[in-house]
Amino acid sequence: KAAICALFVRVLPSTIRCLKRSQGTAGHRSVEAAELNSDDMQSLIYRVFKSDHLTMHLSRETIKLLASKFRRQQATDRQIIFENGSEGTRFFVIASGMYETFQPFAKQGVKARAMNSGSFGSLALVFNFQHTFGVRCVADGVLWALEGAEYRKVLKQAGGGGGG
């Protein structure tokens, strides 16, 4: 566990920078659920995986296989997607809607971060950690969710999924 924690500490700053860059439309585009066909979804998921420091090493074939495992999830205003401290069991890609991070007992000055594109949940999923923040929907939308068990199964089949 100490080695994983050390890796987490090294990866976290670059992942946070990547997440900050992905705010708004930089690198990703939020798409309306009605226009999200299979090719659009795979393209969106590919861009998200390639922009995340934890998954950018995955090959195109592995990402394509992972994309086929995502499931559409409708999100409604005020819906909690996951709570701070909950187990990381899913990785989410935003197709539409608006989401914000929250920490119920955060120190004063800690601000929520709004997201209308990109992804969330990768740190908790990849490292099997609890979520360090919560995410809630603030405007109805659609998420594409990948179960952790599917993620690990695909990576095992792909022999780690390396290459690029």
PDB file of all heavy atoms in Angstrom, residues 6-33:
ATOM      1  N   ALA A   6       2.648   6.232  -2.594  1.00  0.00           N
ATOM      2  CA  ALA A   6       3.733   7.042  -3.152  1.00  0.00           C
ATOM      3  C   ALA A   6       3.444   7.371  -4.609  1.00  0.00           C
ATOM      4  O   ALA A   6       3.663   8.507  -5.053  1.00  0.00           O
ATOM      5  CB  ALA A   6       5.060   6.298  -3.016  1.00  0.00           C
ATOM      6  N   LEU A   7       2.970   6.386  -5.371  1.00  0.00           N
ATOM      7  CA  LEU A   7       2.615   6.627  -6.767  1.00  0.00           C
ATOM      8  C   LEU A   7       1.471   7.630  -6.851  1.00  0.00           C
ATOM      9  O   LEU A   7       1.498   8.545  -7.672  1.00  0.00           O
ATOM     10  CB  LEU A   7       2.207   5.315  -7.449  1.00  0.00           C
ATOM     11  CG  LEU A   7       1.747   5.428  -8.900  1.00  0.00           C
ATOM     12  CD1 LEU A   7       2.877   5.984  -9.774  1.00  0.00           C
ATOM     13  CD2 LEU A   7       1.302   4.080  -9.413  1.00  0.00           C
ATOM     14  N   PHE A   8       0.488   7.479  -5.991  1.00  0.00           N
ATOM     15  CA  PHE A   8      -0.652   8.395  -5.960  1.00  0.00           C
ATOM     16  C   PHE A   8      -0.173   9.829  -5.733  1.00  0.00           C
ATOM     17  O   PHE A   8      -0.608  10.752  -6.407  1.00  0.00           O
ATOM     18  CB  PHE A   8      -1.615   7.956  -4.848  1.00  0.00           C
ATOM     19  CG  PHE A   8      -2.809   8.841  -4.686  1.00  0.00           C
ATOM     20  CD1 PHE A   8      -3.837   8.803  -5.602  1.00  0.00           C
ATOM     21  CD2 PHE A   8      -2.913   9.693  -3.601  1.00  0.00           C
ATOM     22  CE1 PHE A   8      -4.953   9.610  -5.450  1.00  0.00           C
ATOM     23  CE2 PHE A   8      -4.027  10.502  -3.441  1.00  0.00           C
ATOM     24  CZ  PHE A   8      -5.042  10.455  -4.367  1.00  0.00           C
ATOM     25  N   VAL A   9       0.753  10.020  -4.788  1.00  0.00           N
ATOM     26  CA  VAL A   9       1.265  11.355  -4.481  1.00  0.00           C
ATOM     27  C   VAL A   9       2.017  11.929  -5.678  1.00  0.00           C
ATOM     28  O   VAL A   9       1.929  13.113  -5.968  1.00  0.00           O
ATOM     29  CB  VAL A   9       2.158  11.311  -3.220  1.00  0.00           C
ATOM     30  CG1 VAL A   9       2.921  12.607  -3.027  1.00  0.00           C
ATOM     31  CG2 VAL A   9       1.305  11.010  -1.996  1.00  0.00           C
ATOM     32  N   ARG A  10       2.747  11.095  -6.425  1.00  0.00           N
ATOM     33  CA  ARG A  10       3.479  11.570  -7.607  1.00  0.00           C
ATOM     34  C   ARG A  10       2.528  11.886  -8.753  1.00  0.00           C
ATOM     35  O   ARG A  10       2.748  12.830  -9.493  1.00  0.00           O
ATOM     36  CB  ARG A  10       4.490  10.518  -8.070  1.00  0.00           C
ATOM     37  CG  ARG A  10       5.724  10.459  -7.223  1.00  0.00           C
ATOM     38  CD  ARG A  10       6.850   9.692  -7.905  1.00  0.00           C
ATOM     39  NE  ARG A  10       6.456   8.470  -8.573  1.00  0.00           N
ATOM     40  CZ  ARG A  10       6.458   7.258  -8.037  1.00  0.00           C
ATOM     41  NH1 ARG A  10       6.815   7.094  -6.794  1.00  0.00           N
ATOM     42  NH2 ARG A  10       6.102   6.206  -8.739  1.00  0.00           N
ATOM     43  N   VAL A  11       1.473  11.099  -8.920  1.00  0.00           N
ATOM     44  CA  VAL A  11       0.570  11.255 -10.061  1.00  0.00           C
ATOM     45  C   VAL A  11      -0.481  12.330  -9.816  1.00  0.00           C
ATOM     46  O   VAL A  11      -0.885  13.016 -10.743  1.00  0.00           O
ATOM     47  CB  VAL A  11      -0.120   9.905 -10.380  1.00  0.00           C
ATOM     48  CG1 VAL A  11      -1.221  10.066 -11.406  1.00  0.00           C
ATOM     49  CG2 VAL A  11       0.907   8.904 -10.869  1.00  0.00           C
ATOM     50  N   LEU A  12      -0.888  12.535  -8.583  1.00  0.00           N
ATOM     51  CA  LEU A  12      -1.981  13.445  -8.278  1.00  0.00           C
ATOM     52  C   LEU A  12      -1.771  14.856  -8.825  1.00  0.00           C
ATOM     53  O   LEU A  12      -2.671  15.378  -9.481  1.00  0.00           O
ATOM     54  CB  LEU A  12      -2.240  13.485  -6.773  1.00  0.00           C
ATOM     55  CG  LEU A  12      -3.427  14.336  -6.324  1.00  0.00           C
ATOM     56  CD1 LEU A  12      -4.710  13.837  -6.962  1.00  0.00           C
ATOM     57  CD2 LEU A  12      -3.551  14.310  -4.815  1.00  0.00           C
ATOM     58  N   PRO A  13      -0.622  15.510  -8.615  1.00  0.00           N
ATOM     59  CA  PRO A  13      -0.490  16.879  -9.140  1.00  0.00           C
ATOM     60  C   PRO A  13      -0.662  16.970 -10.654  1.00  0.00           C
ATOM     61  O   PRO A  13      -1.324  17.874 -11.155  1.00  0.00           O
ATOM     62  CB  PRO A  13       0.929  17.291  -8.715  1.00  0.00           C
ATOM     63  CG  PRO A  13       1.233  16.419  -7.541  1.00  0.00           C
ATOM     64  CD  PRO A  13       0.533  15.120  -7.814  1.00  0.00           C
ATOM     65  N   SER A  14      -0.084  16.025 -11.404  1.00  0.00           N
ATOM     66  CA  SER A  14      -0.226  16.084 -12.856  1.00  0.00           C
ATOM     67  C   SER A  14      -1.660  15.766 -13.275  1.00  0.00           C
ATOM     68  O   SER A  14      -2.159  16.330 -14.248  1.00  0.00           O
ATOM     69  CB  SER A  14       0.756  15.139 -13.544  1.00  0.00           C
ATOM     70  OG  SER A  14       0.519  13.814 -13.148  1.00  0.00           O
ATOM     71  N   THR A  15      -2.342  14.909 -12.544  1.00  0.00           N
ATOM     72  CA  THR A  15      -3.734  14.602 -12.859  1.00  0.00           C
ATOM     73  C   THR A  15      -4.608  15.817 -12.585  1.00  0.00           C
ATOM     74  O   THR A  15      -5.492  16.133 -13.372  1.00  0.00           O
ATOM     75  CB  THR A  15      -4.220  13.394 -12.035  1.00  0.00           C
ATOM     76  OG1 THR A  15      -3.389  12.282 -12.352  1.00  0.00           O
ATOM     77  CG2 THR A  15      -5.660  13.059 -12.345  1.00  0.00           C
ATOM     78  N   ILE A  16      -4.344  16.519 -11.501  1.00  0.00           N
ATOM     79  CA  ILE A  16      -5.110  17.725 -11.197  1.00  0.00           C
ATOM     80  C   ILE A  16      -4.891  18.765 -12.281  1.00  0.00           C
ATOM     81  O   ILE A  16      -5.836  19.397 -12.745  1.00  0.00           O
ATOM     82  CB  ILE A  16      -4.747  18.269  -9.806  1.00  0.00           C
ATOM     83  CG1 ILE A  16      -5.282  17.313  -8.735  1.00  0.00           C
ATOM     84  CG2 ILE A  16      -5.278  19.683  -9.607  1.00  0.00           C
ATOM     85  CD1 ILE A  16      -4.816  17.609  -7.339  1.00  0.00           C
ATOM     86  N   ARG A  17      -3.639  18.944 -12.736  1.00  0.00           N
ATOM     87  CA  ARG A  17      -3.377  19.885 -13.826  1.00  0.00           C
ATOM     88  C   ARG A  17      -4.143  19.483 -15.070  1.00  0.00           C
ATOM     89  O   ARG A  17      -4.730  20.311 -15.757  1.00  0.00           O
ATOM     90  CB  ARG A  17      -1.875  19.958 -14.126  1.00  0.00           C
ATOM     91  CG  ARG A  17      -1.101  20.797 -13.137  1.00  0.00           C
ATOM     92  CD  ARG A  17       0.310  21.060 -13.628  1.00  0.00           C
ATOM     93  NE  ARG A  17       1.067  19.857 -13.921  1.00  0.00           N
ATOM     94  CZ  ARG A  17       1.752  19.155 -13.031  1.00  0.00           C
ATOM     95  NH1 ARG A  17       1.765  19.508 -11.763  1.00  0.00           N
ATOM     96  NH2 ARG A  17       2.425  18.081 -13.395  1.00  0.00           N
ATOM     97  N   CYS A  18      -4.157  18.181 -15.372  1.00  0.00           N
ATOM     98  CA  CYS A  18      -4.883  17.685 -16.549  1.00  0.00           C
ATOM     99  C   CYS A  18      -6.370  17.957 -16.400  1.00  0.00           C
ATOM    100  O   CYS A  18      -7.017  18.394 -17.338  1.00  0.00           O
ATOM    101  CB  CYS A  18      -4.628  16.192 -16.721  1.00  0.00           C
ATOM    102  SG  CYS A  18      -5.467  15.460 -18.121  1.00  0.00           S
ATOM    103  N   LEU A  19      -6.921  17.721 -15.211  1.00  0.00           N
ATOM    104  CA  LEU A  19      -8.342  17.972 -14.987  1.00  0.00           C
ATOM    105  C   LEU A  19      -8.660  19.450 -15.137  1.00  0.00           C
ATOM    106  O   LEU A  19      -9.675  19.818 -15.708  1.00  0.00           O
ATOM    107  CB  LEU A  19      -8.758  17.496 -13.589  1.00  0.00           C
ATOM    108  CG  LEU A  19      -8.839  15.991 -13.400  1.00  0.00           C
ATOM    109  CD1 LEU A  19      -9.033  15.665 -11.920  1.00  0.00           C
ATOM    110  CD2 LEU A  19      -9.935  15.386 -14.232  1.00  0.00           C
ATOM    111  N   LYS A  20      -7.773  20.320 -14.655  1.00  0.00           N
ATOM    112  CA  LYS A  20      -7.999  21.760 -14.791  1.00  0.00           C
ATOM    113  C   LYS A  20      -7.993  22.160 -16.254  1.00  0.00           C
ATOM    114  O   LYS A  20      -8.787  22.973 -16.687  1.00  0.00           O
ATOM    115  CB  LYS A  20      -6.945  22.541 -14.016  1.00  0.00           C
ATOM    116  CG  LYS A  20      -7.166  22.506 -12.522  1.00  0.00           C
ATOM    117  CD  LYS A  20      -6.098  23.281 -11.793  1.00  0.00           C
ATOM    118  CE  LYS A  20      -6.334  23.220 -10.294  1.00  0.00           C
ATOM    119  NZ  LYS A  20      -5.267  23.859  -9.549  1.00  0.00           N
ATOM    120  N   ARG A  21      -7.072  21.575 -17.039  1.00  0.00           N
ATOM    121  CA  ARG A  21      -7.019  21.878 -18.464  1.00  0.00           C
ATOM    122  C   ARG A  21      -8.275  21.405 -19.173  1.00  0.00           C
ATOM    123  O   ARG A  21      -8.703  21.986 -20.160  1.00  0.00           O
ATOM    124  CB  ARG A  21      -5.804  21.217 -19.118  1.00  0.00           C
ATOM    125  CG  ARG A  21      -4.523  21.961 -18.911  1.00  0.00           C
ATOM    126  CD  ARG A  21      -3.453  21.465 -19.859  1.00  0.00           C
ATOM    127  NE  ARG A  21      -3.317  20.029 -19.906  1.00  0.00           N
ATOM    128  CZ  ARG A  21      -2.498  19.314 -19.138  1.00  0.00           C
ATOM    129  NH1 ARG A  21      -1.742  19.890 -18.253  1.00  0.00           N
ATOM    130  NH2 ARG A  21      -2.433  18.010 -19.278  1.00  0.00           N
ATOM    131  N   SER A  22      -8.887  20.325 -18.682  1.00  0.00           N
ATOM    132  CA  SER A  22     -10.055  19.771 -19.368  1.00  0.00           C
ATOM    133  C   SER A  22     -11.343  20.492 -19.004  1.00  0.00           C
ATOM    134  O   SER A  22     -12.384  20.184 -19.556  1.00  0.00           O
ATOM    135  CB  SER A  22     -10.194  18.273 -19.080  1.00  0.00           C
ATOM    136  OG  SER A  22     -10.620  18.059 -17.758  1.00  0.00           O
ATOM    137  N   GLN A  23     -11.282  21.469 -18.089  1.00  0.00           N
ATOM    138  CA  GLN A  23     -12.490  22.239 -17.789  1.00  0.00           C
ATOM    139  C   GLN A  23     -12.943  22.968 -19.033  1.00  0.00           C
ATOM    140  O   GLN A  23     -12.154  23.312 -19.883  1.00  0.00           O
ATOM    141  CB  GLN A  23     -12.218  23.258 -16.689  1.00  0.00           C
ATOM    142  CG  GLN A  23     -12.478  22.724 -15.320  1.00  0.00           C
ATOM    143  CD  GLN A  23     -12.333  23.804 -14.292  1.00  0.00           C
ATOM    144  OE1 GLN A  23     -11.298  24.427 -14.188  1.00  0.00           O
ATOM    145  NE2 GLN A  23     -13.385  24.020 -13.544  1.00  0.00           N
ATOM    146  N   GLY A  24     -14.221  23.225 -19.121  1.00  0.00           N
ATOM    147  CA  GLY A  24     -14.754  23.896 -20.305  1.00  0.00           C
ATOM    148  C   GLY A  24     -14.671  22.979 -21.492  1.00  0.00           C
ATOM    149  O   GLY A  24     -15.017  21.813 -21.402  1.00  0.00           O
ATOM    150  N   THR A  25     -14.188  23.492 -22.620  1.00  0.00           N
ATOM    151  CA  THR A  25     -14.165  22.687 -23.832  1.00  0.00           C
ATOM    152  C   THR A  25     -12.755  22.341 -24.276  1.00  0.00           C
ATOM    153  O   THR A  25     -12.568  21.762 -25.326  1.00  0.00           O
ATOM    154  CB  THR A  25     -14.875  23.420 -24.979  1.00  0.00           C
ATOM    155  OG1 THR A  25     -14.236  24.690 -25.162  1.00  0.00           O
ATOM    156  CG2 THR A  25     -16.348  23.610 -24.670  1.00  0.00           C
ATOM    157  N   ALA A  26     -11.743  22.678 -23.499  1.00  0.00           N
ATOM    158  CA  ALA A  26     -10.370  22.382 -23.891  1.00  0.00           C
ATOM    159  C   ALA A  26     -10.149  20.878 -23.951  1.00  0.00           C
ATOM    160  O   ALA A  26     -10.198  20.194 -22.948  1.00  0.00           O
ATOM    161  CB  ALA A  26      -9.392  23.010 -22.897  1.00  0.00           C
ATOM    162  N   GLY A  27      -9.921  20.360 -25.140  1.00  0.00           N
ATOM    163  CA  GLY A  27      -9.626  18.948 -25.293  1.00  0.00           C
ATOM    164  C   GLY A  27     -10.832  18.037 -25.376  1.00  0.00           C
ATOM    165  O   GLY A  27     -10.720  16.906 -25.780  1.00  0.00           O
ATOM    166  N   HIS A  28     -11.966  18.488 -24.944  1.00  0.00           N
ATOM    167  CA  HIS A  28     -13.172  17.664 -24.955  1.00  0.00           C
ATOM    168  C   HIS A  28     -14.324  18.522 -25.432  1.00  0.00           C
ATOM    169  O   HIS A  28     -14.303  19.720 -25.318  1.00  0.00           O
ATOM    170  CB  HIS A  28     -13.510  17.173 -23.541  1.00  0.00           C
ATOM    171  CG  HIS A  28     -12.391  16.471 -22.873  1.00  0.00           C
ATOM    172  ND1 HIS A  28     -11.943  15.246 -23.265  1.00  0.00           N
ATOM    173  CD2 HIS A  28     -11.602  16.837 -21.845  1.00  0.00           C
ATOM    174  CE1 HIS A  28     -10.944  14.885 -22.496  1.00  0.00           C
ATOM    175  NE2 HIS A  28     -10.710  15.827 -21.634  1.00  0.00           N
ATOM    176  N   ARG A  29     -15.345  17.870 -25.915  1.00  0.00           N
ATOM    177  CA  ARG A  29     -16.547  18.636 -26.209  1.00  0.00           C
ATOM    178  C   ARG A  29     -17.719  17.921 -25.568  1.00  0.00           C
ATOM    179  O   ARG A  29     -17.813  16.701 -25.586  1.00  0.00           O
ATOM    180  CB  ARG A  29     -16.757  18.818 -27.710  1.00  0.00           C
ATOM    181  CG  ARG A  29     -17.137  17.575 -28.451  1.00  0.00           C
ATOM    182  CD  ARG A  29     -17.323  17.919 -29.931  1.00  0.00           C
ATOM    183  NE  ARG A  29     -17.671  16.709 -30.634  1.00  0.00           N
ATOM    184  CZ  ARG A  29     -18.905  16.387 -30.960  1.00  0.00           C
ATOM    185  NH1 ARG A  29     -19.903  17.169 -30.696  1.00  0.00           N
ATOM    186  NH2 ARG A  29     -19.147  15.257 -31.605  1.00  0.00           N
ATOM    187  N   SER A  30     -18.557  18.702 -24.963  1.00  0.00           N
ATOM    188  CA  SER A  30     -19.765  18.145 -24.377  1.00  0.00           C
ATOM    189  C   SER A  30     -20.744  17.940 -25.522  1.00  0.00           C
ATOM    190  O   SER A  30     -20.952  18.822 -26.335  1.00  0.00           O
ATOM    191  CB  SER A  30     -20.338  19.123 -23.355  1.00  0.00           C
ATOM    192  OG  SER A  30     -21.483  18.585 -22.774  1.00  0.00           O
ATOM    193  N   VAL A  31     -21.319  16.755 -25.609  1.00  0.00           N
ATOM    194  CA  VAL A  31     -22.237  16.477 -26.706  1.00  0.00           C
ATOM    195  C   VAL A  31     -23.613  16.181 -26.150  1.00  0.00           C
ATOM    196  O   VAL A  31     -23.751  15.637 -25.072  1.00  0.00           O
ATOM    197  CB  VAL A  31     -21.759  15.279 -27.565  1.00  0.00           C
ATOM    198  CG1 VAL A  31     -20.504  15.628 -28.316  1.00  0.00           C
ATOM    199  CG2 VAL A  31     -21.535  14.050 -26.730  1.00  0.00           C
ATOM    200  N   GLU A  32     -24.608  16.584 -26.863  1.00  0.00           N
ATOM    201  CA  GLU A  32     -25.973  16.276 -26.460  1.00  0.00           C
ATOM    202  C   GLU A  32     -26.196  14.776 -26.624  1.00  0.00           C
ATOM    203  O   GLU A  32     -25.720  14.163 -27.574  1.00  0.00           O
ATOM    204  CB  GLU A  32     -26.974  17.055 -27.314  1.00  0.00           C
ATOM    205  CG  GLU A  32     -26.933  18.543 -27.062  1.00  0.00           C
ATOM    206  CD  GLU A  32     -27.161  18.904 -25.598  1.00  0.00           C
ATOM    207  OE1 GLU A  32     -28.060  18.334 -24.958  1.00  0.00           O
ATOM    208  OE2 GLU A  32     -26.419  19.755 -25.095  1.00  0.00           O
ATOM    209  N   ALA A  33     -26.928  14.197 -25.716  1.00  0.00           N
ATOM    210  CA  ALA A  33     -27.148  12.751 -25.725  1.00  0.00           C
ATOM    211  C   ALA A  33     -27.780  12.294 -27.029  1.00  0.00           C
ATOM    212  O   ALA A  33     -27.461  11.223 -27.539  1.00  0.00           O
ATOM    213  CB  ALA A  33     -28.021  12.350 -24.545  1.00  0.00           C
TER     214      ALA A  33
END
